[in-house]
Amino acid sequence: MCIAVWAWRSHDEYELVLLLNRDEYHERPTEAVSWWGDGEKRILGGRDRVAGGTWLCCSKDGRLAFLTNFREPDVCPNLKSRGDLPVRFLESTKSPLEFAEEIAKEADQYNGFNLIIADLCLKVMAYVSNGPKGKPTIVQLVTPGLHVLSNANLDTPWCKAQRLVQNFEKLLMKQEGDVPLKEMAEKLMQDTTRVDQDQLPNTGCGLEKESLLSSIFIDIDNDQGRYGTRSTIALCVRENAVTLFERYLESGLWKEHTFQYQIESMCQKEG
């Protein structure tokens, strides 16, 4: 299902600080974050080996995209893969808002999604969502500030989302100098606290499922298999330098790695 929290153009030193948990069935074939693709359109991101898409990706030309599912009781298995959307944005030349408007026209071809797309050179971030079902597709620019995205619309005040953004803000305000990505990922994104029943959202999925999914870090083992958080990404952007830390589950073991790169584009030359 995934959850993300970020500071966008609201920190004295960092253009973006982002934390994201990716939740999925443990048996689903997945590649940890790596560089893939060829030439100028190489992509840094994790990869779903079933459908080929991703939950988060970025590139050296300053483009970034990430995705969460919109929680709904009925999911159609025959629709297009939502994981294709972040990749499509990175491969396109459209601005975030242009791309969001393009996706809005075909939003009914996907199960419920929330998509954030950003051009760090243009300093523009957009949001597009086709949830909840039956409502008009949302397309909007993301304003500077702190934001949180779970499995409802942007900044919906679910309890776990509120707790995450509040703790994120406290930790971020205490930092002087470099943002400690690994520490932030461990302190904030491994929270297994579940919400009291009377504070659960009603998405039509039933109270038992809502409770199991109400923590920031999810770990469920039932008849359908083991499901939960398989990857935590912490990313920051400062002066066109991008750092990405990932803690990920592979063959039952937690591993970690870090990537760094410089944005190679006109925004670097003009800066």
Side-chain angles (χ1 to χ4, degrees), residues 24-27 212 219-228:
E24 185 53 86
Y25 281 99
H26 286 214
E27 65 182 16
L212 291 172
D219 189 7
I220 304 168
D221 197 358
N222 56 29
D223 294 340
Q224 295 178 310
R226 194 172 178 188
Y227 177 90

Side-chain angles (χ1 to χ4, degrees), residues 9-24:
R9 300 186 61 202
S10 59
H11 190 279
D12 290 341
E13 296 186 42
Y14 289 86
E15 188 79 5
L16 174 67
V17 181
L18 165 69
L19 303 176
L20 181 144
N21 273 357
R22 184 240 183 172
D23 306 322
E24 185 53 86

Side-chain angles (χ1 to χ4, degrees), residues 22-232:
R22 184 240 183 172
D23 306 322
E24 185 53 86
Y25 281 99
H26 286 214
E27 65 182 16
R28 190 175 178 103
T30 297
E31 289 184 5
V33 170
S34 65
W35 285 102
W36 39 282
D38 299 314
E40 296 181 357
K41 288 298 183 179
R42 292 187 73 210
I43 289 172
L44 179 65
R47 202 165 194 182
D48 173 33
R49 297 308 304 172
V50 176
T54 188
W55 53 100
L56 178 148
C57 57
C58 48
S59 59
K60 290 187 177 181
D61 61 358
R63 294 167 85 79
L64 178 144
F66 59 92
L67 180 81
T68 73
N69 292 350
F70 197 100
R71 191 179 304 159
E72 51 196 357
D74 300 317
V75 176
C76 178
N78 298 321
L79 296 181
K80 291 183 178 180
S81 171
R82 293 167 284 198
D84 289 340
L85 296 172
V87 179
R88 281 180 56 185
F89 174 67
L90 263 66
E91 292 177 341
S92 77
T93 58
K94 294 181 181 293
S95 72
L97 193 56
E98 289 172 337
F99 185 82
E101 290 171 344
E102 176 183 287
I103 296 302
K105 296 175 183 177
E106 55 184 82
D108 60 351
Q109 299 177 31
Y110 300 87
N111 287 306
F113 68 84
N114 294 304
L115 178 66
I116 296 290
I117 45 182
D119 188 316
L120 300 171
C121 297
L122 296 177
K123 302 186 187 305
V124 174
M125 179 179 285
Y127 167 65
V128 56
S129 175
N130 65 349
K133 190 175 294 183
K135 299 290 186 179
T137 300
I138 298 171
V139 173
Q140 68 183 63
L141 291 174
V142 179
T143 58
L146 297 183
H147 296 279
V148 64
L149 185 63
S150 183
N151 308 115
N153 293 131
L154 179 64
D155 294 324
T156 295
W158 284 3
C159 287
K160 72 173 183 179
Q162 288 183 303
R163 185 169 70 253
L164 178 57
V165 76
Q166 290 168 2
N167 291 336
F168 177 69
E169 182 177 21
K170 290 177 184 177
L171 190 56
L172 199 59
M173 288 177 61
K174 291 180 181 178
Q175 302 305 321
E176 296 182 1
D178 295 343
V179 168
L181 294 181
K182 178 178 178 180
E183 178 186 346
M184 294 181 77
E186 292 175 347
K187 284 189 174 182
L188 301 182
M189 306 306 286
Q190 296 183 41
D191 184 353
T192 58
T193 305
R194 290 182 181 171
V195 175
D196 293 338
Q197 185 170 328
D198 61 350
Q199 296 179 312
L200 293 171
N202 181 10
T203 66
C205 294
L207 287 178
E208 181 180 2
K209 185 174 182 179
E210 298 288 5
S211 177
L212 291 172
L213 297 174
S214 67
S215 55
I216 293 168
F217 184 97
I218 296 171
D219 189 7
I220 304 168
D221 197 358
N222 56 29
D223 294 340
Q224 295 178 310
R226 194 172 178 188
Y227 177 90
T229 304
R230 293 182 55 182
S231 167
T232 297

